[in-house]
Amino acid sequence: MAKIRAGVLGATGAVGQRFIEQLWDHPWFELTCLAASERSAGKKYREAARWRLDHELPAEVGEMGVVNVDPKEVEADVVFSALPADEAKKVEADFAKAGFVVASNASAYRFEPDVPLMIPECNPEHLGLIDIQQRKRGWDGYIVTNPNCTTIMFALTLKPLIPMEISRVIIASMQAVSGAGYEGVPSMAILGNILPFIPGEEEKVEKEAQKILGTFDGDRIVDVPFGVSASCHRVPVMDGHTEALWVEMASNPSPEDVREAFLGFNPGLSDLPTEPERPIIVRDEPDRPQPRLDRNAGKGMAVSVGRIREGIRYIVMGHNTVRGAAGASVLNAELLSKKGLL
């Protein structure tokens, strides 16, 4: 089977580099185009980008030319967007109008009623919005988004708990500095410190889960009725968001009931290359999960839970730039391919 041509928008940035990592040697996708700002366009990738990941830049990628973020210059069937939200609002629409499939990590379209906000293990049926989006907007292509990195971690663990009648969720996040980008948090602000405010983060976290876990009725998404209350904090950890959750449920399950629900969660996506063997890993040790020990579980795509206690309270942890960003978009695109939508 011929591979699907894939391009990266915003290829020189931190998430763009994660996209390259995910797509290089991918069994279904062929990385054919790298697009970035005007100051990078026309250069070889190795000249345009300062590679930040902890393994070598593939030599072939380094020799690829960088083009402008313009549908006329990008040769691909699906584009993965690592663009800033303000830029993504126009650019992603331009690509969708031009017939591209846009798998976006940006927040620009997450709350548009006709745009799927996807976690494949949670809401594959929401891809039904694509037909509505194309009819409404007159686009030949379409946009599919993934959630905020913090939301992905805890929303994935809520999916197997839905039958237990969730009534309220409280979350306190401890978010890695990589979530703000390489130059996002000054070292003198974060070393030996905790920043108790991340602009706009709590609002995203409190809204996204309702749409993701909502029901597609054939025309729109009906949000789940429970509320989410969030307090988000930046901590001096390189990669890996850790979150403490309190989940109130009408059925009053025991910690063992919740543990068994996590262990038995099987979304049936094992045929997708990026899907881990177990999307939710249960750690029974009293001091796990931890970012340093658990962020790379399932090649960075598994979410680890532990300390499941009466209440119901537990800890969830996942890799914020893999599961929470680039890997999430790639998994979305794999689901689109499986459904015959690419």
Side-chain angles (χ1 to χ4, degrees):
M1 183 179 72
K3 288 188 176 183
I4 298 163
R5 299 179 305 162
V8 178
L9 310 182
T12 58
V15 175
Q17 294 184 19
R18 286 291 187 191
F19 272 124
I20 291 170
E21 176 186 57
Q22 293 286 316
L23 293 167
W24 186 248
D25 276 344
H26 191 283
W28 294 4
F29 301 120
E30 179 185 2
L31 185 61
T32 57
C33 191
L34 302 174
S37 64
E38 289 183 358
R39 66 177 178 272
S40 297
K43 299 177 182 178
K44 291 183 177 180
Y45 186 78
R46 59 177 171 78
E47 299 168 342
R50 187 171 180 183
W51 190 249
R52 305 287 190 183
L53 302 186
D54 57 4
H55 52 78
E56 290 295 321
L57 171 68
E60 296 92 333
V61 175
E63 292 300 312
M64 291 178 67
V66 179
V67 302
N68 286 297
V69 182
D70 184 331
K72 296 177 181 177
E73 297 189 30
V74 172
E75 295 184 2
D77 303 304
V78 56
V79 291
F80 295 90
S81 174
L83 298 171
D86 54 350
E87 185 179 350
K89 191 69 176 181
K90 179 182 185 302
V91 171
E92 292 179 2
D94 288 344
F95 273 84
K97 289 174 189 175
F100 290 83
V101 173
V102 181
S104 177
N105 182 65
S107 62
Y109 285 92
R110 287 176 186 161
F111 295 114
E112 292 291 323
D114 58 349
V115 176
L117 179 60
M118 297 296 301
I119 301 176
E121 297 94 340
C122 295
N123 59 343
E125 68 280 2
H126 289 197
L127 294 179
L129 286 174
I130 291 171
D131 286 340
I132 296 168
Q133 181 188 142
Q134 290 179 311
R135 289 200 305 269
K136 174 183 174 183
R137 299 174 185 261
W139 292 348
D140 291 327
Y142 57 85
I143 298 171
V144 171
T145 65
N146 57 261
N148 176 275
C149 49
T150 305
T151 304
I152 288 179
M153 308 310 172
F154 80 87
L156 181 56
T157 69
L158 294 181
K159 178 64 176 179
L161 305 184
I162 291 291
M164 300 179 186
E165 303 175 76
I166 298 171
S167 56
R168 186 167 72 140
V169 175
I170 300 171
I171 172 175
S173 72
M174 293 150 276
Q175 298 181 215
V177 294
S178 60
Y182 189 81
E183 297 177 351
V185 181
S187 60
M188 291 186 69
I190 195 64
L191 289 175
N193 199 23
I194 292 174
L195 303 180
F197 175 64
I198 304 173
E201 193 79 357
E202 289 162 359
E203 293 83 354
K204 295 175 189 175
V205 168
E206 290 177 346
K207 288 176 62 178
E208 289 179 353
Q210 279 90 349
K211 181 176 180 180
I212 295 162
L213 298 171
T215 303
F216 178 55
D217 69 2
D219 295 308
R220 64 190 181 95
I221 303 300
V222 180
D223 290 353
V224 290
F226 62 78
V228 177
S229 179
S231 183
C232 297
H233 321 88
R234 190 75 69 191
V235 298
V237 170
M238 183 65 75
D239 293 306
H241 286 359
T242 304
E243 302 162 16
L245 263 75
W246 292 258
V247 184
E248 297 179 6
M249 290 172 275
S251 66
N252 195 29
S254 68
E256 186 58 28
D257 292 333
V258 170
R259 180 178 180 276
E260 290 301 316
F262 290 151
L263 289 172
F265 182 54
N266 180 9
L269 299 177
S270 60
D271 54 340
L272 302 185
T274 302
E275 176 73 358
E277 181 180 353
R278 283 187 173 274
I280 300 175
I281 295 173
V282 176
R283 305 297 316 204
D284 291 321
E285 304 92 327
D287 60 350
R288 299 281 286 275
Q290 298 179 25
R292 193 187 306 176
L293 300 178
D294 299 305
R295 61 190 168 209
N296 291 317
K299 297 182 179 178
M301 288 296 292
V303 167
S304 298
V305 298
R307 300 203 66 215
I308 305 168
R309 291 156 286 158
E310 295 284 351
I312 288 291
R313 300 164 289 162
Y314 59 89
I315 305 297
V316 57
M317 201 288 308
H319 200 303
N320 54 295
T321 62
V322 181
R323 180 78 222 201
S329 286
V330 172
L331 189 63
N332 283 347
E334 292 171 358
L335 180 62
L336 291 169
S337 181
K338 177 181 178 178
K339 298 288 186 181
L341 297 169
L342 285 184

